[in-house]
Amino acid sequence: MQKISPAKGSEFGRVVAIMSGKGGVGKSSVSALLAVALRRAGREVGVLDADITGPSIPKLFGLHERPRSAGEGEILPVETRTGIKVISINLLLPSEDDPVIWRGPIISSAVKQFFTDVRWGRLDCLVVDLPPGTGDAPLTVMQSIPLDGIVVVSSPQELAHLIVRKAVKMAAALNVPVLGLIENMSVLNCPHCGKPIDVFGESTAEEAARIAGLRLLGRLPIDPALATAGDAGMVEDYNAPWMKEMPAWIGDGRVVC
Ligand code: ADP
């Protein structure tokens, strides 16, 4: 499948997609946090929400505004409080709680339009929040959007991290480099004594990364403050020491996005 080109005047230093094997592992949260971390580091950042059926991205940033027309059939992304540019189908629906009941091909063409018909401008990094899984929707996005790399998010309870190997194989078949693995909800640090509790059993992230030949970029703890910030649309107010490392995670050790 041919790669598509962005709208006139839009340029990306790097386009990085975030994928996961299933919903609920924190893929959208990691996408949002990555954008926040890059913005804090002074980068121009955009988030393309390709996870059409989940309203997570606008919700995390507390966005309700509709994208404005830029003329010539193009639209402008909505800007968050700190200047992150966002486009999501949920910003275009008549009502936030409307479900997206489209079939695969329509979803695919909507996501492609988010790349081709949105005036992103010049961004250092575009973060693409992929739909979960390795099915048709993520496949089309990965085939058509020119990606520089993929980051895989998993949680400790994912069965033998099969998805990590599936993701690596899928990316290899499509010639997209996998930048590494992030284990989310890795441990819970006891709020009283600080001792880490392996809620889902001992982490197997290192082993899963080794078997798949990937870099383990990070192990993110369960943090109720993150869930609360996300629920309140205040993900940009969330901070944790590991967020400083995030820009380097997607730079593949060579360039920082
Ligand atoms: P996905 O995009 O994989 O479906 P989300 O990012 O929407 O997952 O996260 C699912 C839920 O888990 C959300 O309510 C989110 O706030 C919460 N969550 C994600 N990561 C963490 C974490 N590290 N600590 C606490 N809650 C988290």
Side-chain angles (χ1 to χ4, degrees):
M1 193 183 281
Q2 219 185 344
K3 299 280 181 199
I4 49 180
S5 305
K8 214 167 56 190
S10 297
E11 258 176 62
F12 311 110
R14 228 164 145 70
V15 183
V16 176
I18 315 297
M19 81 179 292
S20 68
K22 57 173 189 172
V25 299
K27 174 184 53 60
S28 299
S29 303
V30 170
S31 301
L33 289 173
L34 182 59
V36 171
L38 287 162
R39 190 74 192 127
R40 275 186 201 148
R43 308 280 184 253
E44 293 297 333
V45 194
V47 181
L48 189 162
D49 182 8
D51 190 358
I52 293 281
T53 48
S56 309
I57 293 289
K59 190 170 178 288
L60 286 163
F61 287 102
L63 294 174
H64 306 284
E65 196 189 321
R66 288 177 79 81
R68 285 184 297 121
S69 164
E72 299 171 26
E74 295 179 354
I75 56 170
L76 293 167
V78 170
E79 277 198 33
T80 69
R81 210 162 21 90
T82 64
I84 297 170
K85 295 180 175 176
V86 174
I87 205 75
S88 169
I89 196 69
N90 281 279
L91 299 170
L92 293 159
L93 294 173
S95 164
E96 279 185 328
D97 54 8
D98 282 347
V100 177
I101 40 177
W102 299 343
R103 292 192 190 277
I106 299 184
I107 292 183
S108 300
S109 76
V111 171
K112 283 190 213 163
Q113 278 187 286
F114 287 170
F115 195 74
T116 55
D117 298 349
V118 172
R119 281 227 191 128
W120 291 102
R122 292 166 73 102
L123 297 180
D124 296 304
C125 189
L126 181 70
V127 178
V128 181
D129 186 24
L130 285 176
T134 48
D136 196 38
L139 177 67
T140 316
V141 179
M142 282 165 66
Q143 277 180 322
S144 48
I145 295 183
L147 299 174
D148 292 298
I150 289 169
V151 171
V152 183
V153 179
S154 76
S155 61
Q157 78 274 39
E158 274 188 278
L159 189 69
H161 291 271
L162 194 63
I163 178 56
V164 179
R165 297 200 289 281
K166 279 194 187 187
V168 171
K169 283 188 181 172
M170 183 170 169
L174 299 171
N175 286 323
V176 185
V178 181
L179 304 174
L181 173 69
I182 295 175
E183 187 181 60
N184 188 32
M185 310 196 203
S186 194
V187 290
L188 174 70
N189 295 314
C190 173
H192 307 292
C193 67
K195 203 173 147 203
I197 305 162
D198 293 323
V199 183
F200 302 110
E202 211 175 308
S203 167
T204 54
E206 265 163 44
E207 198 195 334
R210 188 182 52 75
I211 294 170
L214 290 183
R215 253 188 340 145
L216 179 60
L217 299 172
R219 294 179 57 206
L220 314 185
I222 296 174
D223 185 354
L226 173 56
T228 310
D231 278 350
M234 312 276 271
V235 72
E236 287 164 298
D237 288 349
Y238 180 77
N239 208 350
W242 43 263
M243 281 184 73
K244 279 210 177 65
E245 297 164 28
M246 288 187 113
W249 288 353
I250 59 155
D252 199 12
R254 288 180 277 114
V255 267
V256 172
C257 186

